[in-house]
Amino acid sequence: MSEENIITENNEPEQVQYTDDNIRHLSDMEHVRTRPGMYIGRLGDGALPEDGIYVLLKEVIDNSIDEFKMKAGERIEIQVKDSLCVSVRDYGRGIPQGKLIEAVSVLNTGGKYDSKAFKKSVGLNGVGIKAVNALSRHFEVQSFRDGVVRKATFECGILTSDVTEDTQDENGTYIFFEPDPTLFLNYRFHSDIVETMLRNYTYLNTGLAIMYNGRRILSRHGLKDLLNDTMTNDGIYPIIHLKGEDIEIAFTHANQYGEEYHSFVNGQHTTQGGTHQSAFKEHIAKTIKDFYGKNFEYGDIRNGLVAAIALNVEEPMFESQTKIKLGSLTMTPNGGVSINKYVGDFVKTEVDNYLHKNSDVAEVMLQKIQESERERKAMAGVTKLARERAKKANLHNRKLRDCRIHFSDVKNDRKEQSSIFITEGDSASGSITKSRDVNTQAVFSLRGKPLNSFGLTKKVVYENEEFNLLQAALDIEEGLETLRYNKVIVATDADVDGMHIRLLIITFFLQFFPELVKKGHVYVLQTPLFRVRNRRTKIKNKKALEDNKKSDFITRYCYSEEERQKAIAELGPDPEITRFKGLGEISPDEFANFIGPDMRLEQVTLHKTDQVQKLLEYYMGKNTLERQNFIIENLVIEEDLPEEDVYE
């Protein structure tokens, strides 16, 4: 065995022995707790849909959904208590009681290796529920089968009790889990994120009733309901909804730019698409092109398309344990028909038939495609010049300070961490640049306020230098498949001008790249309004004195007036209070605290009820008098601040 050198405090190398004692064996539960990222991706605090606590919930629900798919149990009851712990009760067959403990605590153990019992399941690797157990402070499983219930409880994956007794309850499985707060720091389940997840389950399993905290969630029309519930712009023709044995699609065109897709495999929301979504995109365009017999470009056909596809595949292969992108090439694990051909044959037959039978829809669709074609041709010359200008601009030295890892780096484990800060001014971009993680954080610097793009055509994206270079930096001209950063973060000052810039950037995305927002890639950086600090010698609060013992000062960064008052009470008397008026006033050393692992981000989201076009028209349109009256009627004049609230 080899030995390695380490450097001591005296800068002298010391030999470290590498012996049998260094070799450890971790139990299944220990391994999950030691390497949670291998099993659930990121940890997080629950603020974002991809955070680990939702992966835990999904793994539990997936098992109940598989029971429904096997025609065992038509309802699931889910309770989230105090936003901290979850119970899931289904009325399926119940986990076989003789193997109950192994089924929830031993990796690579489960009933889904038997394709006869679970033909088209999501969870096939015997990991999911074990990860939930291992990463929970408290975990309980109950299996009800034929008048007998076996109950087992665990603490951090360690079995603490195992009881079997008679029962009058219906067959099925009950799972309770409370995520371990030492792993998921300051976590909370957010009801809107949970409800979106549950609604997706019902869209894909018509007839399934989910009771969520006493409220019933049900879908009768599958993917058609999904589009009706989520589209933020009205469709220009009724949603086309088609179903086959293992495939379901729904689509329409809306008066918006770009393309928007929702894709699923065996009930799993594949947020990053995969082979099934790529096949649908290819064949929907080809089928429509062939139907009209015209030489349309695929981009013109798909411009404004809003679509959903759900596919059932035997033993699907995903690109990671979180199952957000399908990698399977065939419908069955042993080969057979390819996914591309299966989807293509269905789309070709069913969509072509529909358009022949519904000439009114076909006519409206044709007008939309021709409109997109005319607009593209009208700006063809501008587009070419803009692309050349973007190349000559030398983004890496002029506007963009890039990072090393990108979202489009398919095989990079850290691609999810890639982000870009869009900021304004040299001082702000300079502070962020000096304090960022150069591996995963890029910075794009705006020059002044961007143009209000509401009501303009996409031609402005190429004519306006700022928008053209921003589009090139993100690499989204042809869609999100090549998006270079997972998080697009708007970082502006917390004042009126900063808010205006923020709105202008978000308007640009909503107007021309709405899917960037709808797919959850756009965020707003929250930076502190105040810094409150005091010398240790003046602080009596023992808990506060434990913080950063190496410093003469104890500092609190406050994001609201409430946090400022709390910090003053904790660090008084006479603390030094600084009001940050702009990002450029925050030193790079301090900025590192605000864009690190504990960075505060507010996700920009869209819902059906937001009525985006009306919202943009009101706030960003030309109805100046109406806005003026609104401001006058809702203006609140604050009283002068007392002397103690004047900040240095």
Side-chain angles (χ1 to χ4, degrees), residues 292 294 296 361-371:
Y292 292 115
K294 297 180 181 293
F296 289 133
V361 171
E363 180 60 29
V364 175
M365 185 185 295
L366 177 62
Q367 292 173 7
K368 171 64 175 176
I369 296 168
Q370 290 173 330
E371 179 185 318

Side-chain angles (χ1 to χ4, degrees), residues 474-544:
L474 298 177
D475 198 9
I476 52 176
E477 182 180 3
E478 302 297 332
L480 297 192
E481 285 78 4
T482 52
L483 176 65
R484 301 179 80 232
Y485 312 97
N486 185 29
K487 290 185 173 65
V488 179
I489 303 169
V490 183
T492 59
D493 293 344
D495 58 13
V496 174
D497 283 340
M499 179 67 73
H500 191 202
I501 293 171
R502 182 187 305 176
L503 292 176
L504 290 169
I505 296 170
I506 293 174
T507 298
F508 167 68
F509 289 140
L510 290 175
Q511 182 79 353
F512 301 112
F513 304 101
E515 195 182 12
L516 192 68
V517 177
K518 292 178 181 179
K519 290 293 185 182
H521 292 292
V522 180
Y523 298 82
V524 172
L525 175 67
Q526 300 297 313
T527 52
L529 298 174
F530 310 98
R531 179 183 62 207
V532 180
R533 67 179 184 177
N534 211 345
R535 290 189 176 275
R536 286 184 173 277
T537 54
K538 295 183 179 182
I539 297 175
K540 297 181 180 180
N541 188 313
K542 292 182 179 180
K543 185 177 180 181

Side-chain angles (χ1 to χ4, degrees), residues 591-602:
F591 225 120
N593 298 316
F594 316 136
I595 61 173
D598 298 325
M599 175 169 51
R600 293 195 189 187
L601 295 176
E602 182 179 351

Side-chain angles (χ1 to χ4, degrees), residues 32 136 198 333 355 377 508 539 546 588 602 609 646:
V32 177
S136 295
L198 300 183
L355 293 176
K377 288 181 177 179
F508 167 68
I539 297 175
E546 291 296 313
E602 182 179 351
T609 54
V646 177

Side-chain angles (χ1 to χ4, degrees), residues 583-598:
L583 302 185
E585 295 182 359
I586 304 175
S587 69
D589 289 341
E590 285 189 297
F591 225 120
N593 298 316
F594 316 136
I595 61 173
D598 298 325

Side-chain angles (χ1 to χ4, degrees), residues 105-121:
S105 63
V106 180
L107 295 184
N108 306 314
T109 303
K112 297 170 188 177
Y113 297 107
D114 180 357
S115 62
K116 294 179 181 178
F118 292 89
K119 287 184 178 180
K120 297 182 175 74
S121 167

Side-chain angles (χ1 to χ4, degrees), residues 8 34 58 91 126 140 159 246 254 261 373 378 443 521 544 553 611 636:
T8 65
T34 304
K58 182 187 74 65
Y91 295 87
E140 180 179 346
L159 181 66
D246 284 313
Y261 299 97
E373 182 182 52
V443 182
H521 292 292
F553 285 88
Q611 296 182 313
V636 176

